[in-house]
Amino acid sequence: MKNILLCTTGASPQVVTETLYALFTQGKTYPDEMYVITTESAKAILVEGLFTQGHLQALYDEYGMPAVAFDESHIWLIEDEQGRPVFDAKGEEDQAYMANFITRKVAELTADNQTAIHASIAGGRKTMAFYMGYAMSLLGREQDSLSHVFVNDDFEFVRDFYFPTKNDNWIVGKTAADQVNTKEAIVTLAEIPFVRMRKKFEDDLISQIEEATFSKTVARMNAADQVTSAQLSHNASTISVLGIDIKLTAKELALYHYIALETDKKVLVDRHFIESTAPSKAYLSVYSKMKGDVRVYRTFGLEDDIAWREQALTTLKPMEKEFIQPIRTQVNSKLKKALPAEIYEKVQIHSQRVSGGNQYWIASALLVTEV
């Protein structure tokens, strides 16, 4: 069986050598091969420390350790939806890319029954560590393991420390005035127990994960034992389905909630609809609970949100028949992107041409609540 070490790293590539050192010196299973997941900005730091400065080879030489199969092709850069490397993973969208990428890579590695994965969550951003741990919990097998590595305080975040040496080796510590001896460093590798959920799901479900987004994977697995419902948060401007928070604009969330509050969760846009201000009032009563664009009020003939709050509605106009469709399209696009197809079908805003106009509805079986 091939043993593979999978690490996440950020600005501290030292976690790679520290983990290898701990595995070897503590007599734990030593990897044949290693992969590192990181960002474009952190890759240069990783290559500089491990290869250019030679700290990885120095570790092998110091302890007579077998070289692990690892070169630049084993450094996996987190990618966005277009396959472009994510630079530093600081943006909100980057977190989704990170989750998707890590989940896919863990799915790929665990698809081979002749491998055993040791995943380290010691490096990279906290969200990176979380997603690695979560992916292992979703996909990990009996032979796979998860760990964290840490060093004693004097050596934590010390730029030139990569592993404890056998002999005295003084380097600059946390400040320029500090000197620390790498011989005195203590590296601890803590194995982390984790719940293995893989056996709960069918093989065909597992096979879909490699191509799915992280959110779709979570929703699909949650759906195995949960009834579909949707929770709407005006404060966060989200719709939550099976544990997945989907961000909508205030205008989009208001439309979803407006339809959900109507009788049978249906809205019929016919001649009566476009001649009445009742739909406008129903929509704005929801929209006004959120911090939305003031221009939406002008769409309905009001000057601003103050006019609504004061119920100065003499200029209020009926909702135009063209108002709902483009917003519905935007809402459904976001839901479809985040959710598996079978769940999306249950929560989308449906549309159908009927005699006299268009009908929009949300499935009557869907429980829609406000949180």
Side-chain angles (χ1 to χ4, degrees), residues 111-296:
D112 185 352
N113 288 327
Q114 298 306 307
T115 63
I117 311 303
H118 183 115
S120 170
I121 61 171
R125 298 187 176 279
K126 290 182 175 65
T127 46
M128 192 181 293
F130 169 81
Y131 291 133
M132 176 69 85
Y134 203 93
M136 288 296 292
S137 189
L138 289 174
L139 300 162
R141 306 152 302 175
E142 291 301 318
Q143 69 262 38
D144 300 324
S145 56
L146 188 68
S147 75
H148 179 68
V149 69
F150 51 92
V151 299
N152 49 319
D153 185 63
D154 287 346
F155 295 89
E156 191 174 13
F157 304 120
V158 172
R159 186 188 61 184
D160 294 328
F161 173 74
Y162 278 79
F163 58 87
T165 54
K166 293 182 176 180
N167 302 311
D168 291 334
N169 177 47
W170 294 89
I171 60 174
V172 175
K174 292 185 177 181
T175 68
D178 292 334
Q179 291 286 310
V180 291
N181 187 354
T182 57
K183 182 181 178 181
E184 298 173 356
I186 300 173
V187 175
T188 302
L189 185 139
E191 291 206 27
I192 303 171
F194 63 98
V195 177
R196 293 166 171 82
M197 296 187 286
R198 187 184 185 103
K199 288 185 178 179
K200 290 179 61 179
F201 307 103
E202 301 294 335
D203 289 342
D204 60 340
L205 178 61
I206 296 296
S207 67
Q208 296 176 47
I209 291 175
E210 189 171 326
E211 297 302 323
T213 64
F214 179 78
S215 63
K216 287 183 178 180
T217 298
V218 173
R220 188 173 279 127
M221 289 189 163
N222 283 344
D225 54 11
Q226 291 188 33
V227 176
T228 300
S229 62
Q231 294 81 43
L232 311 182
S233 171
H234 292 158
N235 288 335
S237 194
T238 57
I239 177 171
S240 300
V241 181
L242 293 171
I244 305 304
D245 294 335
I246 303 156
K247 191 81 170 179
L248 301 179
T249 66
K251 185 163 65 172
E252 293 163 354
L253 185 62
L255 178 68
Y256 198 96
H257 201 176
Y258 157 60
I259 296 174
L261 291 172
E262 291 295 289
T263 303
D264 297 328
K265 300 189 182 75
K266 291 181 179 179
V267 171
L268 175 61
V269 180
D270 58 5
R271 185 169 62 84
H272 174 73
F273 178 95
I274 61 177
E275 291 177 353
S276 171
T277 58
S280 301
K281 292 176 181 178
Y283 176 83
L284 289 177
S285 66
V286 177
Y287 185 79
S288 62
K289 297 179 182 180
M290 294 173 275
K291 294 181 179 179
D293 191 332
V294 71
R295 289 175 296 182
V296 170

Side-chain angles (χ1 to χ4, degrees), residues 285-310:
S285 66
V286 177
Y287 185 79
S288 62
K289 297 179 182 180
M290 294 173 275
K291 294 181 179 179
D293 191 332
V294 71
R295 289 175 296 182
V296 170
Y297 293 95
R298 295 171 191 161
T299 300
F300 293 91
L302 301 181
E303 180 63 28
D304 50 29
D305 56 328
I306 297 175
W308 171 260
R309 288 201 303 270
E310 295 178 350

Side-chain angles (χ1 to χ4, degrees), residues 42-94:
K43 179 183 178 180
I45 302 171
L46 181 72
V47 171
E48 173 69 20
L50 298 189
F51 298 132
T52 306
Q53 295 179 8
H55 290 293
L56 181 58
Q57 186 60 50
L59 172 64
Y60 296 152
D61 295 342
E62 182 87 1
Y63 290 92
M65 294 164 56
V68 177
F70 179 68
D71 56 31
E72 286 198 47
S73 68
H74 289 215
I75 301 174
W76 290 336
L77 297 185
I78 296 167
E79 298 173 345
D80 64 15
E81 293 176 333
Q82 284 72 47
R84 297 171 302 199
V86 169
F87 183 70
D88 58 12
K90 289 184 178 179
E92 182 177 351
E93 284 190 342
D94 294 342

